[in-house]
Amino acid sequence: MTDFLEQATRILFFTGKGGVGKTSLACAAAVSLAGQGKRVLLVSTDPASNLDEVLGVPLSGAPTPIPGAEGLSALNIEPEAAARAYRERVVGPYRGVLPDASIASMEEQLSGACTVEIAAFDEFTKLLGDAHATAGFHHIIFDTAPTGHTLRLLKLPAAWTGFIAGNTTGASCLGPLSGLETQRSLYDSSLKALTDSAVTTLFLVSRPERSALAEAHRSSGELAEIGVTNQRLLLNGIFVAHDRSDSAACALEDRGREALAGMPAGLANLPCAQVPLLPYAPMGMENLRRVFSGVPPVSRPEGRESPQKIQPDLPLSGLIDDLEKMRRGVVLTMGKGGVGKTTIASAIAVELARRGHPVHLSTTDPAAHVAATVGESVPNLSVSRIDPAAETRAYAQAVMAKAAPQLDPQGMALLAEDLRSPCTEEIAVFSAFARTVAEGERAFVILDTAPTGHTILLLDAAEAYHREVSRTVSDLPESVRRLLPRLRDPEFTRVLLVTLPEATPVHEAARLQSDLARAGIAPFAWVVNRSFAGNGFRDPVLRERGERELPFLTEVRERFARRMVVARWEPWEPVGPERLRQLAHAETVRG
């Protein structure tokens, strides 16, 4: 299995749809290369990184040696810390030179989400394009954020160098462009490294599922367009039933085989490696070493209570009954990428629409899969997505039109340049998010939100958004003004934390719950999705997976959730109105 790492290039990217196992496989690859005597740096660019938990070591923004894996170091790119350093790098030279009021104005301008993004990007490009910064390592492995964020990250070298080259006024939404201009050569070298097949290999990680394969295919094409052509396909979670008398296990095998048979031709032509579905979580050095070796796990849980003994507080249908009592309002599904937020949001929307309620199902996720999940028209249900490109165009046009009467041609040219910066997209998407939430005054709005890190940035951006809009328009939209009060109103907004019964998704959802509490938002319920526990499997791999879920189901119930819903794993793919209705009404566990 490790032959896919033979003659590995210096830079390796692992990317794909949320939840396909990028972090696990990136960590396993890093451990494998280190075991070959290579010096390896493993880097997470995900704002919601879980490298610490997988490796079992607290990480920071500096390389940390990993005990038990000689030659391996790892770090998390920390956006907030990077933003603080970036602000000081830009503002510092002016302290004691400009008046205090001017310094305060510069710091205010550099306090938004845009600065966080470009600062984190600076750290990324330093590792990617500055050979001196990583001279002590044979390989740099990037565990990237879920695909939508990754594509944006990988396109930024071209976007920012183009913006800097074309800007004639020296101004941007990030303040003086001198802070960006000094990085221009680094951005250029980063783009060259990305597009050099002798330097960079990109592993498209997917599971044998239609949606994950479709996402990998889309990513492959978009990355090829920016010159990243040295691509490999890494199929994770391939399952072959060990007990042919277990009909559910055979159905899972058939479902994976059918998805692979329908794989887009562009993916099928890529060099490919496969990783089997593991009965254990690939966490810790010993189990990470076993991912590519086929060796059994380091330990198997013994003496745990029967999976049938843990019951949820209510089934998914019972949760929908409670939500229906609102008669209108907003339901947000939130959690780590890949836990099934889209599926749960779609099942709730379809069922509420079936009961006669007007429902708008939408998403803030750049990877947007709600339309494909619903599949066909449903009475009372409208489906949309917040399209970043369309929203950015509309926002820029609106700002330009409003400013036209007050600005001369030079002023309009300055504003147009300002709006060309990549940061404008975040503001435009946020405005659309606020408008969609406002629709909850008249009907049910079910929002399938982006993966956790992006969602928190979006919610945290409220004050920064107010400042940014005030810079370009004289008044705030009413939807934006009322956004945070609406999100904080438990009679208007119900937040559902969606997780899988596994360590990383549960603990990330718990962190999200803490972040929401600081923003004055309390989750309405936890939904533990795709549970194998108590499903009556005879297949040893699936049965062991169910047994290993028990501590996490207990942890959710006893430590985190006011209400706990468990949606069991089903042998059929939850796509289309009928399957979504079946999911909404499924029994919680099999006998």
Side-chain angles (χ1 to χ4, degrees), residues 468-483:
E468 177 64 17
V469 173
S470 297
R471 217 168 51 80
T472 52
V473 297
S474 58
D475 58 335
L476 285 174
E478 181 67 14
S479 60
V480 174
R481 195 183 309 277
R482 297 186 59 190
L483 176 61

Side-chain angles (χ1 to χ4, degrees), residues 529-540:
N529 194 29
R530 297 205 296 264
S531 174
F532 285 88
N535 275 355
F537 292 113
R538 291 184 296 275
D539 187 275

Side-chain angles (χ1 to χ4, degrees), residues 202-526:
L202 184 123
F203 289 100
L204 293 158
V205 183
S206 179
R207 289 192 180 274
E209 301 168 357
R210 287 187 177 90
S211 61
L213 290 165
E215 183 72 13
H217 182 244
R218 184 180 69 85
S219 302
S220 176
E222 292 194 23
L223 289 164
E225 287 178 4
I226 64 170
V228 183
T229 56
N230 186 14
Q231 301 179 9
R232 305 284 188 273
L233 180 62
L234 196 49
L235 292 170
N236 189 28
I238 302 296
F239 178 70
V240 177
H242 294 74
D243 186 335
R244 307 307 297 183
S245 68
D246 188 333
S247 60
C250 292
L252 177 59
E253 178 183 335
D254 291 343
R255 178 172 157 183
R257 187 187 304 112
E258 290 170 5
L260 294 178
M263 185 191 308
L267 282 186
N269 293 331
L270 292 177
C272 178
Q274 296 187 356
V275 180
L277 181 70
L278 302 173
Y280 58 92
M283 301 175 70
M285 287 303 107
E286 292 305 311
N287 278 344
L288 285 170
R289 286 193 178 93
R290 286 164 165 75
V291 170
F292 297 131
S293 68
V295 176
V298 63
S299 62
R300 190 179 189 280
E302 298 293 344
R304 289 181 177 161
E305 60 182 301
S306 167
Q308 286 82 357
K309 290 185 180 178
I310 291 187
Q311 295 289 340
D313 298 316
L314 68 167
L316 187 55
S317 59
L319 175 64
I320 296 172
D321 291 341
D322 285 349
L323 295 174
E324 186 180 17
K325 295 172 185 176
M326 297 168 61
R327 313 306 298 179
R328 61 172 179 76
V330 175
V331 178
L332 299 176
T333 56
M334 303 178 74
K336 178 176 167 45
V339 297
K341 297 184 301 294
T342 300
T343 299
I344 297 301
S346 300
I348 292 170
V350 166
E351 178 59 17
L352 286 172
R354 187 194 68 81
R355 297 182 185 187
H357 300 284
V359 181
H360 179 192
L361 173 64
S362 189
T363 181
T364 65
D365 193 333
H369 300 289
V370 289
T373 300
V374 173
E376 60 187 71
S377 177
V378 174
N380 301 316
L381 176 64
S382 63
V383 180
S384 71
R385 65 176 290 239
I386 295 174
D387 182 342
E391 295 298 338
T392 302
R393 284 194 301 271
Y395 174 77
Q397 290 168 1
V399 170
M400 293 288 290
K402 191 158 192 173
Q406 287 80 38
L407 296 178
D408 59 19
Q410 184 177 0
M412 289 294 287
L414 172 61
L415 179 58
E417 279 191 351
D418 198 359
L419 292 169
R420 281 172 42 223
S421 82
C423 299
T424 301
E425 180 181 300
E426 192 78 23
I427 304 302
V429 169
F430 192 86
S431 179
F433 174 71
R435 290 198 308 272
T436 305
V437 167
E439 293 180 25
E441 295 285 359
R442 302 179 301 277
F444 278 108
V445 173
I446 316 298
L447 265 166
D448 165 35
T449 60
T452 307
H454 182 272
T455 300
I456 291 301
L457 285 176
L458 197 65
L459 295 176
D460 284 350
E463 293 304 318
Y465 174 87
H466 289 189
R467 289 191 294 269
E468 177 64 17
V469 173
S470 297
R471 217 168 51 80
T472 52
V473 297
S474 58
D475 58 335
L476 285 174
E478 181 67 14
S479 60
V480 174
R481 195 183 309 277
R482 297 186 59 190
L483 176 61
L484 281 179
R486 282 173 170 147
L487 293 178
R488 288 170 175 153
D489 181 358
E491 298 304 315
F492 185 85
T493 298
R494 300 282 172 90
V495 173
L496 307 180
L497 290 184
V498 184
T499 185
L500 301 180
E502 300 168 10
T504 297
V506 166
H507 297 154
E508 186 161 321
R511 288 192 293 271
L512 173 56
Q513 180 164 268
S514 297
D515 290 336
L516 290 171
R518 286 194 291 273
I521 301 170
F524 182 70
W526 282 54

